[in-house]
Amino acid sequence: GAWGVLNADLKTHDSFFRRRPEEQEKNMALRTSMLRLSPAMASLQRSQTLRMLPCVQVPARMLSEKYSTKMKKTGRPVSPHVLIYSFPMAAISSITVRVTGVALSVGLGGVGAAELVGLDCASLATTLGNMSLIGPAAKFAVAYTLIYHWFGAARHYAWDNNPELLQNNPVKYSSVGILVGAGVLAGGLAFV
C-alpha cells in the first residue's frame, strides 16, 4: 500500500546515508517521523518525498560584518527604506485610524492629567474656541480626529464581521470616502 511506497523511497535514500556514517542517526529519526505522518505523504512525487539541502559554510569574518558591507562586497543593493514605497489607499486609511486612536487617547489622557493638577480645561477650551484663527483650527483638529477614527473603526468592524466586503475597489473607495467625509463634517463643526 501507501506505506510500501514510502518505505521504498526511504530505501533508495539509504545508499546516500551508508556513505556517511554520521548521518545514520538522522536517517533513523527521518524514517520514524515519516512513518508517523499521514498516508497523504505517500502521494507526493518521488522527487519531493525527501529532498536533501546542501550545507553552506559561512566564514566567521562574514558573520561579524555589517549587512551593508556584505552587500557592497557582493554587488547587491541594500533594500531601500520603507518610505519610498507607494502604500495603497487602504493601508494609509488603516494606519490613519490607528494614529487617530492614539491621538485621541493621548488627548484624553492629557485633559485628565491637566484636570487632576487643577487646570480648568473647560474654560481653556471655551477660550480657545472663541479665538478667531485658533478656535476653528482647534475644533477642526479635534472633530476630524474623532470623526475619522469613529468611521474607520465602524468600517473595520464591518470588515471583521463580513470578510467578503474586502475587495480592492470598494476598500479603496471607502478609504477615500472616510477621508473626505470626515473632512467635510469636521469642517462644518469647526465653525459651530
Side-chain angles (χ1 to χ4, degrees):
W3 293 114
V5 173
L6 186 60
N7 282 331
D9 277 345
L10 287 172
K11 287 177 186 174
T12 61
H13 290 286
D14 278 346
S15 62
F16 174 79
F17 291 119
R18 283 192 196 117
R19 285 182 277 163
R20 294 185 172 184
E22 67 272 10
E23 295 289 332
Q24 288 298 327
E25 195 171 327
K26 287 182 185 177
N27 181 21
M28 192 59 114
L30 179 64
R31 182 174 290 168
T32 305
S33 64
M34 292 292 277
L35 291 175
R36 288 183 188 155
L37 295 175
S38 70
M41 279 298 296
S43 67
L44 291 174
Q45 292 179 0
R46 190 169 219 216
S47 63
Q48 293 177 345
T49 304
L50 296 173
R51 191 175 288 181
M52 303 303 294
L53 297 175
C55 196
V56 178
Q57 294 291 327
V58 178
R61 65 176 175 74
M62 289 292 282
L63 295 174
S64 63
E65 286 180 315
K66 289 187 175 183
Y67 179 76
S68 331
T69 310
K70 284 192 272 185
M71 291 299 106
K72 282 180 185 174
K73 287 181 180 178
T74 62
R76 291 179 284 196
V78 177
S79 295
H81 195 272
V82 73
L83 293 179
I84 72 156
Y85 294 111
S86 176
F87 283 102
M89 189 61 193
I92 293 169
S93 176
S94 186
I95 291 167
T96 306
V97 169
R98 286 157 177 76
V99 168
T100 55
V102 169
L104 289 169
S105 298
V106 168
L108 184 63
V111 168
E115 287 286 342
L116 283 175
V117 296
L119 289 174
D120 186 14
C121 290
S123 64
L124 178 63
T126 303
T127 304
L128 280 175
N130 291 331
M131 296 177 141
S132 63
L133 292 176
I134 297 174
K139 288 179 184 178
F140 179 83
V142 172
Y144 185 82
T145 305
L146 187 61
I147 293 168
Y148 191 92
H149 187 72
W150 193 87
F151 281 160
R155 181 180 63 169
H156 276 274
Y157 181 78
W159 286 346
D160 290 343
N161 291 315
N162 302 306
E164 64 275 0
L165 296 176
L166 285 169
Q167 296 175 6
N168 288 339
N169 284 333
V171 168
K172 182 170 63 173
Y173 297 140
S174 71
S175 299
V176 173
I178 290 173
L179 183 76
V180 172
V184 169
L185 287 173
L189 290 173
F191 296 103
V192 174

